Amino acid sequence: MKNVDDLIDSAAELAERGLSKGEIADELNVSRETASWLVERAGTENTRATTAAPGSTADIHVDWSAIGRDSARLTYTAKAMADLLVKQGEEVDLTVGIEKAGAPLATAVASELDTDLGTYAPAKHQWEEGDIADHGGGFSRNFAAIRDRDCYVVDDIITSGTTMRESIDAIRDHGGTPVACVVLADKKGYDDIDGVPVHSLVDVVRVDREE
């Protein structure tokens, strides 16, 4: 994806497939507000070049499909992510991947660190409009249980930190202890979220200059 028009077209395609705006945000690695804006812009060709993105600052789109579409690259990337975690906690025996994109990364990280695997589906996957707190996330019963276990948390991108914070809270609510988080890229540059260290392969720093 090279420009905003490509993102608008992708958002329109995903919306036509029935994905919620929260799922579209997840697929395109943008904020929920940006996903809403992209969907609204679809079909309004004459406003694409002149309409500003929502909010006081622009969002940043991260395309890591060159990694995701190749199993070898994904494995090498997960090895680097696992290396960031290896000194964080001695009793960790569970890696939790945040669905959707965090799950394959977590699978490879868990294999590298020799831990069990759990997955968490965040509330944003149900989100269309309004307060995200009206929706709920949950852990898959097809994977390892959380209770009484130290955990690593894996996702692809931190955009606002809301999803990671929700996942940390959910792990604690289920009796687990999140020890550290790791992502491919962190748009906010967090050192920690709610006391849990955050590690990233790439920190994205936005530089706004006044002319």
Side-chain angles (χ1 to χ4, degrees), residues 28 31 52 64 71 99 134 188:
L28 299 182
S31 70
W64 60 276
S71 60
E99 298 179 3
D134 294 336
K188 289 293 187 179

Side-chain angles (χ1 to χ4, degrees), residues 27 56 81 93 127 149 156 175-176 178 206:
E27 286 287 330
S56 57
M81 296 172 74
D93 64 351
W127 181 84
R149 306 180 76 173
D156 61 337
R206 178 180 170 82

Side-chain angles (χ1 to χ4, degrees), residues 67-177:
I67 295 171
R69 64 173 172 251
D70 184 275
S71 60
R73 293 175 197 155
L74 185 70
T75 300
Y76 295 143
T77 302
K79 285 179 181 289
M81 296 172 74
D83 187 62
L84 292 173
L85 294 173
V86 71
K87 295 181 180 180
Q88 298 288 318
E90 298 180 355
E91 303 298 328
V92 178
D93 64 351
L94 177 62
T95 300
V96 178
I98 301 176
E99 298 179 3
K100 301 177 181 175
L105 288 166
T107 302
V109 169
S111 177
E112 180 69 14
L113 297 177
D114 193 24
T115 71
D116 289 347
L117 176 68
T119 66
Y120 180 76
K124 70 178 180 182
H125 288 175
Q126 307 300 321
W127 181 84
E128 282 289 354
E129 298 292 348
D131 191 347
I132 196 171
D134 294 336
H135 307 283
F139 295 96
S140 172
R141 295 187 179 185
N142 293 317
F143 297 94
I146 306 299
R147 186 169 299 282
D148 299 326
R149 306 180 76 173
D150 289 352
C151 310
Y152 293 132
V153 188
V154 179
D155 203 1
D156 61 337
I157 309 293
I158 290 179
T159 297
S160 67
T162 300
T163 298
M164 187 62 76
R165 183 170 288 104
E166 174 194 335
S167 304
I168 288 170
D169 288 344
I171 289 170
R172 287 171 171 163
D173 288 345
H174 281 72
T177 301

